[in-house]
Amino acid sequence: MSEPKSPTPTPAGDTYKGWVFKWTNYIKGYQRRWFVLSNGLLSYYRTQAEMGHTCRGTINLATATITVDDACNFVISNGGAQTYHLKASCEVERQRWITALELAKAKAARMQPESDDSGDDFPSSSPPAAPGQGGGSQNSEVQSALRTLGSKVEDLSTCNDLISKHGSALQRSLSELDSLRLTGEAGEKIRQVTERATLFRITSNAMINACQDFLALAQAHSKRWQKALQAERDQRVRLEETLEQLAKQHNHLERAFRGASQSNATADNKSSAGPGKGEASDEDEDHEFFDAMEEAPEFITVPADPHFHKRSSSNISGFNSEMCPDDQSLNEEPLAMNQESPSQELMPLKKRRTRISDKPNYSLNLWSIMKNCIGKELSKIPMPVNFNEPISMLQRLSEDLEYHELLDKASKCQSSLEQMCYVAAFSVSSYSTTVHRTGKPFNPLLGETYELDRRRDSGYRSLCEQVSHHPPAAAHHVISDRGWTLRQEITVASKFRGKYLSIMPLGTIHAIFEKANNHYTWKKVTTTVHNIIVGKLWIDQSGEIDVVNHTTGDRCHLKFAPYSYFSRDVARKVTGVVMDKDSKAHYVLSGTWDEKMEFSRVMQSSLGGENGTEGKQKTVYQTLKAREVWKRNPLPEGAETMYYFTSLALTLNEYEDGIAPTDSRRRPDQRLMEEGRWDEANSEKQRLEEKQRIVRREREREAASQRTSSQSEEAVDEDSLTDPSLKSAPHDSHLALWFDRCEDQITGEQVHIYKGGYWEAKDRGSWEGCPDIY
């Protein structure tokens, strides 16, 4: 599913080595090379075996500059003679290489003045290091000074001990001489020496006490000095980061300007006659990013000044300070529980299960299935539960509510544009559960229902019903106490292409918010299951989604990029732009459908960049710093043995009292499969499908007899010609129990709308109208 990862670079002492992709030329593009970093020199080889005899190139890092292009790309240049354009397999690996290169460069820079007699060339030729890493030389100087001071303090302490020791010995010797009681001139001399020794001892003790006071004072203030020094260092790092950000912004704008002013003929000239990236000049480097892309994006984003929105006098691109509160509301804390009454707060929430039976390791004989297909209708072929997961399609639809908090937050938004961000993120979040879920859900029986009552936990109630069998269609209705309603009717169409299976959900999803009366609609993208015949199954999502606010005219266009082995983009990438009814961009969304989504406030937009595939210029959006709007919940422990179910999916088939007789939790074959009794589940599944066929044939016979009687009545009843309700019933006369078929006022489609009554019937415990489907 993702690009094969190269082995992680491994350090060995001062040596760092690993595989990195190096740009060769416009024909071959990036080629994998073996790079070795040792003693301040970066060398590369075609293979590891060449390390002993053939080096393809070497750069001295002491005088080289290291710049970062994007998430995976970086450039190493020594001033024009040699330039390496490199690409790591992921952002983490790129950061490891950058760290190793910066450390090696700092070490090489320190070693250069020692080997150079003049010592004058290093400061002028060495470029400034990257923020947070270029302070290695200054840091070593500070450490050296601290070590010198420490040694001097130790010397003072030693002298203190010696003075005390020898002073005491001298005093004892003088006392012994004085005890001899010599007379005359000798005695006078001894008394003079004793007095001088006493004065010396007093002075020495005073000096020792002063040194001790100085040492104590220095130790007391050293921490304060260290904090002040650290604050100065942090200030310098912040200034360097600001300068780097400004440089990147200038670089992006310069690229956009050059791309906008460059004609197609000039671009063709450059691609045909320009030098390869390995020997590219500074002018060629300005265009390398877009030339190297296999599938260019529809728009380009560049960082804007973080304080842009604080300048109320600015009117760039029509934005003003009145729109600033939108960003604040996007950072709201999680919503508090909205209980209906104080009595509910005292009731403990139901403890949900966190595990199901492990998936059995049953072998599957494909030939035994294929030989049963010979001479039979495909609808009558019993497919074993080995291909399934113990969950129905109705429960899978309910699983879209995994991240219902996004709709809760959307309902509290004051602006329809920021509300659109949450709704768009919700439309993406429903695919995060499909990454490892290669099992097929159980096809619901006609009339099968599923309820998901999480009113006390999360404030919503969900109901699904299988309303049609040919084609299979399910209606879904969710009502929340937090001020929103969600409804959808999904019909699945599929195409088998040999190597992969395309699943195309048909139908529209509606989200209605009561407070602002905003009505949103969108459709689902195509799901592709790869390696159907040979290999490990994996799933990809691709296509485009238009989330439309029919109340205000706001629109968000989301694009799910299909996986490509040759693409430089991250796998499962999703991008989108939130626009108002005048097609003016306000937010840019980006991320992946399996991990997270972020949004960026658009401060200015303009045409620029490289021309698109159809000759159209890309739009350059100048945005504020991106912030996270949605992130995937981690899978529970042991999910790989439980069909990769999420924490919510593990609870969907948990049995509950009071549910309808048609609820999916009561389905016997699905329950047997969940318990690991697959042989019994296959037999029960075949029985249920045959029972459904018998009921359908009986319903068709009744419909045929009604058509015959109605046709005879039409000869004498002329009113039937003008009243459609008096005409014959359709081929399949099944009527949904909890949903009414009608025309949707927004889309004009024939859909099933919830007519009410289910939750009231549950409260009464009255299920007389439910069919016997199990």
Side-chain angles (χ1 to χ4, degrees):
M1 289 174 60
S2 59
E3 183 179 351
K5 295 182 179 179
S6 60
T8 303
T10 56
D14 291 337
T15 303
Y16 204 75
K17 59 183 69 174
W19 290 105
V20 182
F21 291 90
K22 178 182 178 296
W23 178 269
T24 55
N25 52 52
Y26 284 99
I27 297 177
K28 294 184 178 180
Y30 284 94
Q31 298 293 322
R32 199 170 74 150
R33 297 290 183 259
W34 181 258
F35 279 80
V36 177
L37 174 60
S38 179
N39 297 326
L41 300 176
L42 180 66
S43 306
Y44 76 94
Y45 311 83
R46 285 189 176 177
T47 61
Q48 299 182 47
E50 285 190 350
M51 290 178 60
H53 52 83
T54 305
C55 177
R56 302 290 175 173
T58 301
I59 281 186
N60 186 357
L61 295 178
T63 58
T65 57
I66 304 169
T67 57
V68 178
D69 263 6
D70 55 17
C72 298
N73 293 58
F74 56 101
V75 180
I76 304 173
S77 177
N78 62 355
Q82 287 178 301
T83 302
Y84 292 169
H85 295 260
L86 308 177
K87 179 175 74 169
S89 60
C90 63
E91 188 173 357
V92 175
E93 183 182 343
R94 185 219 67 186
Q95 189 56 43
R96 288 173 179 166
W97 273 105
I98 292 295
T99 303
L101 290 168
E102 292 287 359
L103 291 176
K105 175 185 173 182
K107 185 175 180 180
R110 289 196 303 269
M111 296 297 294
Q112 191 176 20
E114 299 176 3
S115 59
D116 191 353
D117 294 336
S118 64
D120 295 330
D121 296 334
F122 171 69
S124 60
S125 61
S126 177
Q133 296 174 347
S137 178
Q138 295 182 7
N139 194 25
S140 63
E141 293 175 2
V142 173
Q143 295 296 330
S144 177
L146 290 176
R147 284 195 297 269
T148 303
L149 289 174
S151 65
K152 296 301 182 183
V153 170
E154 291 179 0
D155 293 343
L156 285 175
S157 178
T158 303
C159 292
N160 178 22
D161 295 337
L162 291 175
I163 289 174
S164 299
K165 178 180 178 182
H166 294 303
S168 299
L170 177 61
Q171 195 67 36
R172 285 196 302 271
S173 299
L174 292 174
S175 298
E176 290 173 359
L177 286 175
D178 190 48
S179 64
L180 294 178
R181 297 187 181 278
L182 298 176
T183 60
E185 187 177 354
E188 184 64 26
K189 292 292 184 183
I190 290 176
R191 279 193 299 272
Q192 291 179 1
V193 171
T194 302
E195 290 173 358
R196 291 175 179 175
T198 301
L199 291 174
F200 178 77
R201 184 186 65 180
I202 294 172
T203 305
S204 299
N205 287 336
M207 185 193 72
I208 291 171
N209 292 334
C211 288
Q212 289 177 346
D213 294 339
F214 174 79
L215 181 60
L217 187 63
Q219 289 176 344
H221 287 77
S222 63
K223 293 184 178 180
R224 186 181 306 171
W225 295 336
Q226 288 177 359
K227 289 182 179 179
L229 179 60
Q230 186 61 38
E232 292 295 328
R233 287 179 180 172
D234 294 341
Q235 181 75 7
R236 179 177 61 83
V237 170
R238 284 194 294 269
L239 290 174
E240 289 177 353
E241 290 175 346
T242 303
L243 289 174
E244 183 182 14
Q245 186 72 13
L246 290 173
K248 287 183 178 179
Q249 181 181 353
H250 175 76
N251 190 20
H252 279 290
L253 292 174
E254 187 176 5
R255 286 183 181 180
F257 173 76
R258 294 194 181 189
S261 60
Q262 184 186 32
S263 63
N264 290 331
T266 307
D268 295 336
N269 246 349
K270 184 171 75 74
S271 60
S272 60
K277 249 188 182 176
E279 298 79 32
S281 62
D282 293 339
E283 288 77 7
D284 291 333
E285 291 177 3
D286 291 339
H287 306 281
E288 71 202 11
F289 178 75
F290 301 108
D291 290 340
M293 292 188 65
E294 292 80 5
E295 185 175 346
E298 295 180 346
F299 56 84
I300 306 166
T301 59
V302 296
D305 185 356
H307 304 288
F308 188 97
H309 63 292
K310 295 182 180 179
R311 297 197 291 264
S312 59
S313 60
S314 174
N315 59 356
I316 298 178
S317 187
F319 283 87
N320 54 44
S321 59
E322 295 178 357
M323 301 187 67
C324 297
D326 297 350
D327 290 339
Q328 297 174 0
S329 59
L330 281 168
N331 256 354
E332 288 179 344
E333 295 296 325
L335 299 175
M337 293 301 295
N338 184 19
Q339 303 291 354
E340 285 185 326
S341 63
S343 61
Q344 284 187 335
E345 295 179 3
L346 300 176
M347 297 176 62
L349 297 177
K350 179 179 179 180
K351 186 177 181 181
R352 310 287 177 179
R353 67 182 183 181
T354 58
R355 286 200 61 83
I356 60 174
S357 301
D358 290 348
K359 179 180 179 181
N361 187 18
Y362 282 135
S363 60
L364 182 63
N365 189 349
L366 290 177
W367 170 243
S368 64
I369 300 173
M370 294 175 64
K371 68 181 182 181
N372 290 332
C373 301
I374 301 174
K376 293 184 179 181
E377 296 180 13
L378 292 179
S379 61
K380 296 183 179 181
I381 300 171
M383 299 300 291
V385 298
N386 304 57
F387 293 106
N388 289 26
E389 57 183 8
I391 203 171
S392 75
M393 189 63 193
L394 303 181
Q395 292 166 314
R396 194 70 177 266
L397 276 180
S398 303
E399 208 174 339
D400 287 355
L401 300 170
E402 171 94 11
Y403 301 97
H404 64 90
E405 297 91 350
L406 293 171
L407 297 181
D408 294 343
K409 293 179 181 179
S411 66
K412 294 177 69 66
C413 291
Q414 301 297 325
S415 167
S416 62
L417 292 169
E418 66 179 75
Q419 189 177 71
M420 175 69 81
C421 292
Y422 284 110
V423 176
F426 177 79
S427 69
V428 176
S429 67
S430 61
Y431 299 99
S432 63
T433 61
T434 65
V435 182
H436 306 290
R437 301 273 289 278
T438 56
K440 183 179 75 69
F442 277 78
N443 291 329
L445 302 174
L446 188 61
E448 184 175 336
T449 62
Y450 178 73
E451 68 164 69
L452 184 62
D453 191 352
R454 292 290 191 270
R455 194 171 186 180
R456 291 183 55 235
D457 304 68
S458 305
Y460 68 85
R461 280 178 168 180
S462 167
L463 176 65
C464 291
E465 182 180 359
Q466 187 75 1
V467 295
S468 174
H469 188 66
H470 288 297
H476 185 201
H477 181 84
V478 190
I479 183 68
S480 172
D481 296 336
R482 308 281 170 78
W484 55 267
T485 301
L486 185 75
R487 62 179 173 87
Q488 58 180 322
E489 181 176 345
I490 299 298
T491 302
V492 177
S494 60
K495 291 183 180 180
F496 181 61
R497 301 294 187 183
K499 291 184 179 181
Y500 62 88
L501 175 68
S502 295
I503 303 171
M504 295 153 288
L506 307 177
T508 305
I509 305 172
H510 299 254
I512 303 101
F513 295 91
E514 298 174 2
K515 183 177 179 181
N517 197 28
N518 288 327
H519 191 141
Y520 297 86
T521 63
W522 68 91
K523 295 179 180 291
K524 289 181 176 287
V525 296
T526 300
T527 300
T528 306
V529 184
H530 294 268
N531 294 343
I532 295 293
I533 303 299
V534 178
K536 184 178 180 180
L537 294 176
W538 61 275
I539 292 177
D540 191 27
Q541 313 287 347
S542 60
E544 298 180 0
I545 292 180
D546 278 316
V547 185
V548 181
N549 185 344
H550 295 275
T551 304
T552 63
D554 301 338
R555 181 182 299 268
C556 178
H557 180 74
L558 294 169
K559 182 177 181 180
F560 289 64
Y563 173 79
S564 173
Y565 181 81
F566 302 100
S567 176
R568 295 174 58 192
D569 286 334
V570 295
R572 313 179 189 97
K573 184 176 181 180
V574 181
T575 56
V577 180
V578 176
M579 296 177 288
D580 58 20
K581 61 180 180 180
D582 299 322
S583 299
K584 179 180 178 181
H586 291 263
Y587 291 97
V588 171
L589 295 171
S590 62
T592 58
W593 54 263
D594 67 322
E595 283 294 338
K596 64 178 181 178
M597 289 294 292
E598 295 177 337
F599 70 94
S600 305
R601 183 72 174 276
V602 176
M603 306 311 297
Q604 188 177 11
S605 62
S606 60
L607 290 177
E610 296 283 330
N611 289 338
T613 55
E614 300 178 359
K616 298 180 180 179
Q617 288 182 324
K618 300 183 186 72
T619 304
V620 178
Y621 294 120
Q622 193 175 15
T623 64
L624 297 181
K625 184 179 179 181
R627 288 187 287 173
E628 188 174 88
V629 66
W630 163 75
K631 186 177 182 180
R632 179 177 65 94
N633 297 328
L635 290 174
E637 185 178 356
E640 62 277 359
T641 64
M642 298 184 294
Y643 309 90
Y644 288 98
F645 278 180
T646 62
S647 298
L648 174 63
L650 288 173
T651 67
L652 294 180
N653 205 43
E654 184 177 11
Y655 189 81
E656 295 182 8
D657 295 328
I659 56 178
T662 54
D663 197 277
S664 300
R665 299 177 182 90
R666 298 183 182 271
R667 183 165 175 167
D669 54 348
Q670 185 174 301
R671 181 67 61 185
L672 289 170
M673 182 193 178
E674 182 187 282
E675 295 172 355
R677 299 153 63 183
W678 283 16
D679 292 335
E680 300 174 56
N682 279 320
S683 301
E684 195 65 20
K685 182 173 181 290
Q686 190 171 358
R687 180 189 69 82
L688 291 175
E689 291 173 350
E690 184 59 32
K691 180 180 180 180
Q692 183 174 232
R693 295 188 191 101
I694 294 173
V695 173
R696 188 178 73 248
R697 286 194 292 267
E698 180 66 26
R699 191 168 56 250
E700 290 173 356
R701 281 195 295 269
E702 292 179 359
S705 63
Q706 289 178 4
R707 284 197 301 272
T708 303
S709 61
S710 63
Q711 287 173 0
S712 61
E713 291 175 0
E714 284 178 0
V716 294
D717 189 1
E718 297 180 356
D719 292 338
S720 63
L721 298 176
T722 57
D723 189 352
S725 63
L726 299 177
K727 291 190 176 182
S728 60
H731 177 69
D732 191 345
S733 60
H734 173 77
L735 296 177
L737 186 59
W738 308 110
F739 291 80
D740 278 336
R741 184 175 176 83
C742 60
E743 181 177 321
D744 190 278
Q745 297 179 357
I746 298 294
T747 62
E749 302 172 345
Q750 290 293 322
V751 296
H752 284 79
I753 305 294
Y754 177 61
K755 64 182 180 181
Y758 179 87
W759 303 107
E760 293 76 8
K762 181 181 179 181
D763 293 338
R764 297 192 308 267
S766 175
W767 303 109
E768 289 82 2
C770 294
D772 177 19
I773 59 175
Y774 299 139

